[in-house]
Amino acid sequence: MITVWREGSGPAMRQESKAWYSARTFYRWLTWENRPFEERVVLFRARSLDEAIELAERESAEYAREGDFEVLDMVQAYRISDGDEEMGAGTEVFSKLHALDLLANAFLDRYDSGPTHTQVSE
């Protein structure tokens, strides 16, 4: 809780507003051929970056239990919006800067992880 002082009326309590955060989490599949790695980006409403990471860690553990995955020890969180801003097509949900001294093609080769496993929904 945050205490807000209003002139002449004493303290008033208000709840700190929640913002939208995305969290990128990482897994290793234990039962699928070649044990591929997976990364996911999931949205959360939280009051702080720390709370968003806590929520992501809990959700990540549940996801791993349901799918027989190993949770890798890294969460990357990103604040998307302040408060109740609308999100829709084109909203940036994650961004990460890479400070690497590489040519563009070398950077892309470094982050191309080889064959991907995709699922096409009908």
Side-chain angles (χ1 to χ4, degrees), residues 28-47:
R28 182 80 190 245
W29 287 51
L30 301 176
T31 57
W32 203 11
E33 180 185 342
N34 298 325
R35 296 182 48 185
F37 293 97
E38 177 183 3
E39 57 183 281
R40 298 170 66 229
V41 176
V42 180
L43 298 177
F44 296 96
R45 298 271 293 159
R47 289 179 179 82

Side-chain angles (χ1 to χ4, degrees), residues 60-89:
S60 179
E62 181 64 28
Y63 177 75
R65 261 192 309 280
E66 291 174 3
D68 199 21
F69 309 133
E70 173 188 5
V71 177
L72 303 183
D73 192 23
M74 182 166 62
V75 175
Q76 296 176 329
Y78 178 75
R79 186 177 183 139
I80 299 170
S81 72
D82 296 321
D84 292 325
E85 295 173 23
E86 248 185 74
M87 292 192 303

Side-chain angles (χ1 to χ4, degrees), residues 5 11 17-18 20-21 25 29 34 37 42 44 48 53 56 60 64 68-69 88 94 103-104 115-116 119:
W5 287 91
S17 65
K18 290 184 177 182
W20 282 105
Y21 291 85
T25 51
W29 287 51
N34 298 325
F37 293 97
V42 180
F44 296 96
S48 68
I53 290 171
S60 179
D68 199 21
F69 309 133
F94 193 83
L103 297 173
T116 59
Q119 179 179 348

